Amino acid sequence: MTGLAKASATPSSWRPLRHIIRANLLTPYNALLATLTVMVAATRRWPDTLIGLFVVLNSTIGIAQEVRARRTLERLSVLHAPTVRLQRDGGTIEIRIEDLAPGDVMCLRSGDQVPADGRVLSDGLEVDESLLSGESQPVVKAPGDTLLSGSIVVAGTGTVAVTDVGPAAYANRLTADVRRLRRTRSSLMDDTNRLIVAIIVALAVVGPLLLWGEFRRDASWQDAFVDAAAAMGAMVPDGLVLLTSLSFLLAAARLAARGVLTHQLSAVEVLARADVLLLDKTGTLTDGTMCLAGIELLPVDSATNNTHTHDPPLLDLPDGAGRAALQALVDDVLGAYAAEPGSDATLAAIHRARSRPTGWDVTASIEFSSARRWSAKSFADRGTWVIGAPELLLSDAADRAHADAYASDGTRVLVVAYSTRLPPSPADVTPVALILLEEQIRLGAAEAIAYLLRQGIEIKVLSGDHPATAAAVARRVGIPKAERGVVFDELVAVGSTEGSAGLNEHAVIGRVSPDQKREAVRALQNAGHVVAVTGDGVNDVLALKVADLGIAMASGAPATRGVADLVLLESDFTALPLLVEEGRRVLGSIERVAHLFLVKVVYATIAALVAGIAARPYPFLPRQLTWSAALTIGIPGLVLAGERCGDRFRPGYLERVLRRAVPAGAAAAVGLFLLFEIAVRMAAGTPSGRAATSIAAVVVGLGVVELSGSHSVLQRAVVGAMGGLSAATFWWPSARRTLALELPGTVIALALATGSAVVAVHALMWRRIGERA
């Protein structure tokens, strides 16, 4: 075998580890903080270098996230079976799939997944192509037909000549463009990045202005560097970036505990923003198995039962037997027939619903064949029973119409009939009952659908199956507008406005190819929708790739699990409401605490402008800002970000936060700078003024925490704990000296009073603008 003929290739489209580390470490945000840290380190004032800690924390979280995603993608594979049987030298051997080559002859049997494309050489193969096309009905393969990799043999045995392997195989071609890291668009991160860009622009103005002011007042280069680092570091909402990353990480951990694997942390917010959810039918709403939905007896002439020359008598029923006796007989027939279902999905469904009766011993049988479309079994002293397609076993027009009515509603219909001989002949078969089979709905699917609908999420089913079949399943789980399904080709081209309207009008669309499903997602996105997609088959990967959020079932094809943003490890549809709740927790709680960070940014920026223009010292040291920010922003923000939030997502997160933060930050800047100037004169020195503003900043920060959020017990406990910790820090001599917080008692009282006054102003402002949470 040559290297070019390998059946599997080593994926190489994701970034190597060194690139991941470089991409997460070398960011503008990290570069700024690292530069400020180096500036401070050059002054040898080591306590003020704490600002560099955020570089390490943010980079570590980003690298860990992407490495985890890469490891998941490395397991991406469409094929399950590690080996394949080949026909060689008159016998059968088993080789590794990667050693397959064109020209090999595979020996396939029921239950095998096809590892490579090929040409069928023998009769008798029946395959399930639902992972490729979405069509749940088995397909009969005749000699000369093409067999595609990823198909599953559901009946029969046969040989197949390999034609394409590795990257040339259909399944690998279909998923080739998804073998790379997919990035989920995060609204929170987008808004945060917009803010960072604006602040970087402001830094380009404020930094030189502040240094100019420092040198105008004849400050040493060490003082100038420290003041610049304090001001510029405070202007960056470093904790907000860290809090957002940690909130995603904690949400992903909570989801993992509930059986949801998160490939990308930002994906936890997207379902909370989604307004359209596209579902696949087979393997998503249904679990891929059939269930016995019912048995409907057909009219049987009791006179015929007695006078017919059958031996034994027809149906072995007494003269005038009622329908209850006939029903009991059919139940026994089905229980005996399906006692050993093997790999037959129909018999397995019957076997789960009917127990095996005693005294029914099989004496002869003819197994199901797709060519015959029926199977038969003879039982000692109980005649021969046939199960097959209605069009073969029903001769009465009324019975045929009755069966067709069920089939048009998405139900699979079979007929159980009685015969006196094996093999049976059409003239000697008496239909007795219709067997009604339906796809098994996933447990909890209907409840999950109802919850999502209540949250304003529109549900659509896009399936490769027949529209009537998909519509029947959609109705069973309670999806609105599922009275009828439409064929995808009946819609106007989905790239047009009319096509988008057509998608909006219909909830069930069938006969959808993988490319069409992807185009449907794009059309809905172009119409302004945030689209989430669920799926389990290879036919779903293209749509999962372009969706705002891709959700895969763990029971489906590995390709879907690799490209999806979220994987339901238990294939449990009831996890979808959990995803919505977690997304809302992240969105709502971060919005409640984001203005804590931005208040600091605003007052730090204004203070830097005033200090630079007026040639005054900056009113904080870097270490003091780090201390106050940790006690009033970082720790409270992280704790309160875990609070539950039941609000729906509303666009405009950044604008709402700024409406609160800007006026509050401006008021804080005025109060703190006035305090600094007064304290400098009262205590005769800049260090005392900085200590006073630092204490007041803690009071302001804790007041902002108290005014924000849900006013819950947790919130008040956090405020109390941080207040106690800040007091303990101040009264601990070593900490007080390290943070340069030495102050006379009168100045301490003034600092506390100033901080309280600023908090009171904040309360009045937020009440007036109607934004107090």
Side-chain angles (χ1 to χ4, degrees), residues 5 10 28 47 78 91 115 117 123-124 176 191 200 288 320 328 476 484 488 501 651 731:
T10 301
V78 178
D117 294 352
D123 194 4
D191 283 343
I200 289 175
R476 290 169 61 195
R484 60 179 294 268
F488 188 88
W731 290 113

Side-chain angles (χ1 to χ4, degrees), residues 108-110 120-127 139-143 145 153-160 368-372:
L108 301 177
R109 61 191 179 195
S110 181
V120 178
L121 300 178
S122 59
D123 194 4
L125 279 178
E126 186 172 351
V127 300
V139 178
V140 179
K141 295 294 183 179
D145 286 350
V153 179
V154 295
T157 60
T159 54
V160 176
F368 178 82
S369 165
S370 298
R372 288 189 300 268

Side-chain angles (χ1 to χ4, degrees), residues 57 219 273 283 293 315 392 395 433 463 480 492 550 615 649 682 692 716 725 757:
L57 291 177
R273 295 192 290 111
L315 306 182
L392 298 178
S395 57
S463 173
V492 181
F649 168 77
M682 288 180 62
R716 290 188 167 88
L725 184 57

